[in-house]
């Protein structure tokens, strides 16, 4: 974490964070949830948890009989405030414990708890998500989200420093950019509409409008019927688009530098969180390798005897194997460039029958994190490709028109933030990286 919450307004309850408590510093006030209670007869140990960590408070019958009497009724997860003297203690978490002089229960928790917070009991993800409000209290779960917050703050910081414009495009639209089957239909007054799959068309319209460089820290909805550990229905998507590029390598440069910045910031500012998660985050300081799609197929064939089912795309196994291949060479992140069969908005390099689109995927720790590339800014050429691909141009009239009044060369990408957090925090399932995830079977909580 960067700083401490240091709000001195008089209406805040007087307290400091557990991480600020130092031995022999005089009387302090702390507040938080009761994480653990240990009753040893004449001694009661309370472990109190706040956002910054844990602290031990020791109630001694001999020393403070009244407080000792009061603490007999304490329950797990009660919210308490304690004033006392911090003293050194080898056994206590953080090496400090508090001898209380004041003890107050601010709010009692119901019992029994449907989910254990402090004990490391093996609960399946579905039960955890059913009880997410409690699950989120676990220090290791909180660590995921403070880490996520660090990554996002740093990511935005990079784009702000580079003078990208922070944009917001609509979440409600008439159609989608990525294909009809994955759209969530909604009723918009008396009309059929859809939740947005991607800000793709709008980002490009802003390039035509001369905004030059934009980013959107947004949300995308995909009605995919998946059962994987890397898909969700509501996705945190970080979209970027920039104009006056020479080619798609300029876009990869932006992706690479901004990601490196975010990872560096996480390694620096989220040290405690990474520690709680037991993650040794290696920042990829060297250039990310950029291989062509054909080279990727070659590596898969010669090194692993693997042939993706669809010869124009990499499958999950292919991405994973390539991930291992580059990880062994010290590269957790790399780009695959020039997929042959791509959506109409990607610029194509055509040589005879061979088509290599200027599309790239970023693969990080064996999983696709983003797709991007250079876009086709020549509207006539784009409409030709749409017709070749059987895309109904009538559905894209507003977009085609917007690009037809002079559009600079441009490109961009969409980065899946949930997948980024999943990979950085080394989580098995993407849903663990989302506070309240949505999948085909989950609309609550
Ligand atoms: P995949 O092939 O892995 O399903 P995609 O190629 O369909 O992904 P894109 O349209 O390229 O996805 O979206 C850009 C990025 O958004 C992806 O690289 C990924 O990080 C993220 N993303 C897309 N769909 C999902 C999803 N259903 N759940 C989580 N993240 C997603
Ligand atoms: Mg993709």
């Amino acid at each position: 974490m960067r700083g401490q919450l240091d709000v001195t307004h008089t209406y805040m309850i007087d307290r400091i964070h557990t991480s600020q408590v130092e031995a022999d510093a005089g009387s302090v006030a702390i507040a938080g949830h009761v994480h653990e209670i240990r009753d040893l007869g004449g001694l009661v140990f309370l472990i109190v948890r706040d956002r910054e960590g844990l602290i031990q408070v020791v109630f001694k019958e001999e020393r403070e009989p009244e407080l000792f009497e009061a603490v007999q009724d304490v329950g797990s997860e009660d919210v308490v405030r304690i004033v006392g003297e911090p003293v050194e203690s080898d056994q206590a978490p953080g090496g400090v414990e508090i001898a209380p002089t004041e003890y107050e229960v601010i709010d009692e928790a119901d019992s029994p708890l449907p989910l254990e917070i402090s004990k490391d009991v093996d609960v399946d993800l579905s039960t955890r998500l059913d009880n997410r409000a409690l699950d989120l209290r676990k220090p290791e779960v909180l660590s995921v989200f403070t880490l996520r917050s660090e990554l996002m703050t740093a990511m935005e910081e990079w784009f702000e420093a580079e003078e990208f414009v922070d944009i917001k495009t609509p979440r409600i639209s008439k159609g989608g950019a990525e294909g009809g089957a994955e759209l969530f239909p909604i009723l918009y007054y008396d009309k059929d509409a859809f939740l947005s799959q991607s800000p793709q068309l709008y980002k490009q319209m802003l390039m035509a409008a001369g905004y030059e460089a934009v980013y959107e820290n947004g949300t995308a909805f995909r009605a995919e019927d998946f059962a994987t550990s890397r898909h969700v229905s509501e996705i945190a998507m970080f979209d970027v688009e920039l104009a006056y590029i020479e080619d798609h390598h300029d876009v990869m440069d932006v992706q690479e530098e901004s990601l490196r910045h975010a990872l560096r910031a996480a390694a620096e500012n989220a040290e405690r969180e990474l520690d709680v998660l037991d993650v040794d985050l290696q920042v990829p300081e060297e250039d990310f390798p950029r291989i062509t799609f054909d080279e990727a197929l070659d590596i898969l064939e010669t090194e692993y005897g693997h042939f993706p089912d669809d010869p124009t795309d990499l499958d999950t196994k292919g991405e994973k194997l390539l991930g291992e291949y580059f990880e062994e060479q010290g590269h957790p992140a790399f780009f695959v460039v020039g997929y042959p069969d791509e959506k109409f908005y990607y610029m194509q390099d055509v040589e005879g029958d061979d088509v290599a689109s200027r599309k790239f995927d970023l693969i990080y720790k064996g999983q696709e994190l983003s797709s991007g590339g250079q876009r086709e800014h020549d509207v006539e050429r784009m409409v030709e490709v749409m017709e070749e691909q059987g895309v109904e141009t009538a559905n894209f009239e507003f977009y085609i028109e917007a690009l037809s009044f002079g559009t600079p060369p441009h490109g961009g990408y969409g980065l899946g933030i949930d997948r980024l957090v999943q990979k950085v925090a080394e989580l098995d399932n993407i849903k663990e990286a989302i506070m309240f995830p949505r999948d085909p079977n989950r609309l609550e909580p």
Side-chain angles (χ1 to χ4, degrees), residues 273-299:
E273 285 72 16
L274 291 165
D275 208 45
V276 172
L277 293 164
D278 197 19
V279 169
D280 176 22
L281 179 59
Q282 299 294 327
V283 180
E285 296 293 350
E286 284 173 46
D287 289 349
F288 299 3
R290 297 176 187 186
I291 58 164
T292 65
F293 179 71
D294 290 338
E295 284 165 343
L297 289 185
D298 257 9
I299 294 171

Side-chain angles (χ1 to χ4, degrees), residues 222 224 230-232 235 237 368-371 414 416 419:
R222 305 266 172 104
E224 296 167 306
R230 62 180 204 292
H231 287 98
V232 281
I235 310 152
M237 194 91 92
E368 176 190 323
L369 273 199
S370 80
S371 287
R419 282 193 192 172

Side-chain angles (χ1 to χ4, degrees), residues 33-38 45-48 76-77 118-119:
H33 288 90
V34 174
H35 189 68
E36 251 185 270
I37 307 161
R38 269 180 251 150
F45 291 89
L46 285 197
I47 311 281
V48 177
S76 284
E77 295 304 310
S118 65
K119 297 195 185 63

